[in-house]
Amino acid sequence: MSLTRRTLLAAGGGGLLIARVRSANAQAENAPKPATGNDALRIAMPAFASDPFFPADGAGDKGIDMELARGIAAELGVEPVFDRSAVTFDGMVKQLMSGQADMAIGKLSRTLQRGRSILYSRPYAMLHQGLLANRLNLARITQGKPPEQIIRDFSGDLGVIEGSSFATYAATTFPHARIRRFAGWNTVVDAIRSGTIDMAYRDDFEIKKLMVDDPSMTVVARSITLTDKVDTIAIGVRPDNPHLAAFVDLYLDLARGQQVLNTDEIIARYRQGSKA
């Protein structure tokens, strides 16, 4: 039986359709995957605690950042594997740059300097920058003037945590200050108590949390919020995985309802956790 022109066209169209389906399947199989490596999502998180964001290494899995990490991994259909070896916030960034981690979730501030080396999600928390000032030293410096008038020209001793975003911000925000770098927040607070430094520079949430934990600090120290300076908290992603960065943004938009936490909301959660 001879084939008609219509039969040939139909057969050709069917073959073309099959070829297109096979091509689409091949493209889907070869498409870049958001997660990398053995169906696991490697997540960098600091070894220390920062309640209510994350606990210390080995102290459980509660916290804002822990929930985010596990939620993203679940939506990707992979297991979260936490690397808690970083001893500073910058340490997490280095893990992303070296490819040791796929994501960094751990109250990680966005900075332009870090943004040159890694990818960031959109912020999921927005805090104000703040200062913790030794009351006696502040009175000596201001000499009766409102602190707001002298803050930006501050030329005293300013404490920051080494490897934090505020160690980066300090030189620009307080160009006349003598920057003192400390290994951790507790040693910064001790230096405020003793008057060894005049002020400490960090986000207003951590300063307010300190006052919640230790009301006696109000006797020796005063908190100052820099309302025109923000500290945006986001998820870091390794620089060679833009697909994962886009997926994290999608997760924050759809699963988290575009929620951006503020200081008051985080303090409320911290108080609730402290009572539990």
Side-chain angles (χ1 to χ4, degrees), residues 48-56 65 89 106-107 202 205-206 209:
F48 53 84
S50 182
D51 295 331
F53 288 91
F54 52 89
D65 289 340
F89 294 102
K107 198 171 177 278
R202 207 177 180 188
F205 163 71
E206 292 293 343
K209 184 174 80 171

Side-chain angles (χ1 to χ4, degrees), residues 113-150:
Q113 182 174 343
R114 289 172 178 168
R116 291 159 54 184
S117 305
I118 65 170
L119 301 174
Y120 274 115
S121 73
R122 70 165 183 77
Y124 62 90
M126 186 171 295
L127 313 173
H128 284 292
Q129 296 181 16
L131 296 166
L132 181 68
N134 177 283
R135 285 189 177 275
L136 291 177
N137 292 4
L138 184 63
R140 170 178 52 78
I141 293 167
T142 59
Q143 296 182 348
K145 298 178 182 178
E148 293 76 12
Q149 291 183 9
I150 59 92

Side-chain angles (χ1 to χ4, degrees), residues 205 208-209 212 263-272:
F205 163 71
K208 290 179 180 179
K209 184 174 80 171
V212 170
T263 296
D264 290 340
E265 291 169 329
I266 300 169
I267 281 287
R269 175 159 176 165
Y270 179 71
R271 288 180 183 274
Q272 183 179 8

Side-chain angles (χ1 to χ4, degrees), residues 68 121-126 233 246-262 265:
L68 274 175
S121 73
R122 70 165 183 77
Y124 62 90
M126 186 171 295
I233 307 301
F247 184 87
V248 171
D249 273 343
L250 189 64
Y251 177 85
L252 293 174
D253 285 343
L254 300 185
R256 304 281 295 188
Q258 297 183 328
Q259 182 184 25
V260 179
L261 298 169
N262 60 38
E265 291 169 329

Side-chain angles (χ1 to χ4, degrees), residues 27-232:
Q27 288 177 5
E29 290 175 359
N30 295 326
K33 302 297 189 293
T36 59
N38 300 322
D39 293 325
L41 187 65
R42 299 169 301 165
I43 301 167
M45 186 175 283
F48 53 84
S50 182
D51 295 331
F53 288 91
F54 52 89
D57 185 19
D61 60 358
K62 293 182 179 180
I64 295 168
D65 289 340
M66 279 289 186
E67 292 169 4
L68 274 175
R70 295 190 180 281
I72 292 169
E75 291 296 336
L76 287 169
V78 297
E79 286 296 318
V81 176
F82 293 92
D83 184 336
R84 304 297 303 271
S85 61
V87 296
T88 67
F89 294 102
D90 279 347
M92 290 191 294
V93 174
K94 291 177 181 178
Q95 287 177 297
L96 293 178
M97 293 169 60
S98 67
Q100 293 175 271
D102 302 309
M103 294 195 320
I105 307 180
K107 198 171 177 278
L108 183 65
S109 298
R110 298 192 306 171
T111 70
L112 293 174
Q113 182 174 343
R114 289 172 178 168
R116 291 159 54 184
S117 305
I118 65 170
L119 301 174
Y120 274 115
S121 73
R122 70 165 183 77
Y124 62 90
M126 186 171 295
L127 313 173
H128 284 292
Q129 296 181 16
L131 296 166
L132 181 68
N134 177 283
R135 285 189 177 275
L136 291 177
N137 292 4
L138 184 63
R140 170 178 52 78
I141 293 167
T142 59
Q143 296 182 348
K145 298 178 182 178
E148 293 76 12
Q149 291 183 9
I150 59 92
I151 288 300
R152 292 306 162 83
D153 292 325
F154 173 66
S155 59
D157 291 304
L158 182 70
V160 296
I161 301 172
E162 180 64 61
S164 71
S165 58
F166 291 88
T168 301
Y169 297 146
T172 302
T173 308
F174 302 100
H176 307 298
R178 292 184 293 274
I179 310 301
R180 300 278 301 278
R181 298 170 184 269
F182 294 82
W185 181 232
N186 289 339
T187 52
V188 176
V189 173
D190 288 342
I192 286 290
R193 280 186 180 278
S194 65
T196 305
I197 59 174
D198 304 309
M199 294 195 293
Y201 188 29
R202 207 177 180 188
D203 64 74
D204 67 336
F205 163 71
E206 292 293 343
I207 293 172
K208 290 179 180 179
K209 184 174 80 171
L210 174 66
M211 300 301 190
V212 170
D213 290 340
D214 186 1
S216 70
M217 279 297 298
T218 59
V219 177
V220 296
R222 171 184 171 177
S223 64
I224 301 169
T225 298
L226 305 178
T227 56
D228 62 333
K229 293 286 185 179
V230 295
D231 182 30
T232 53

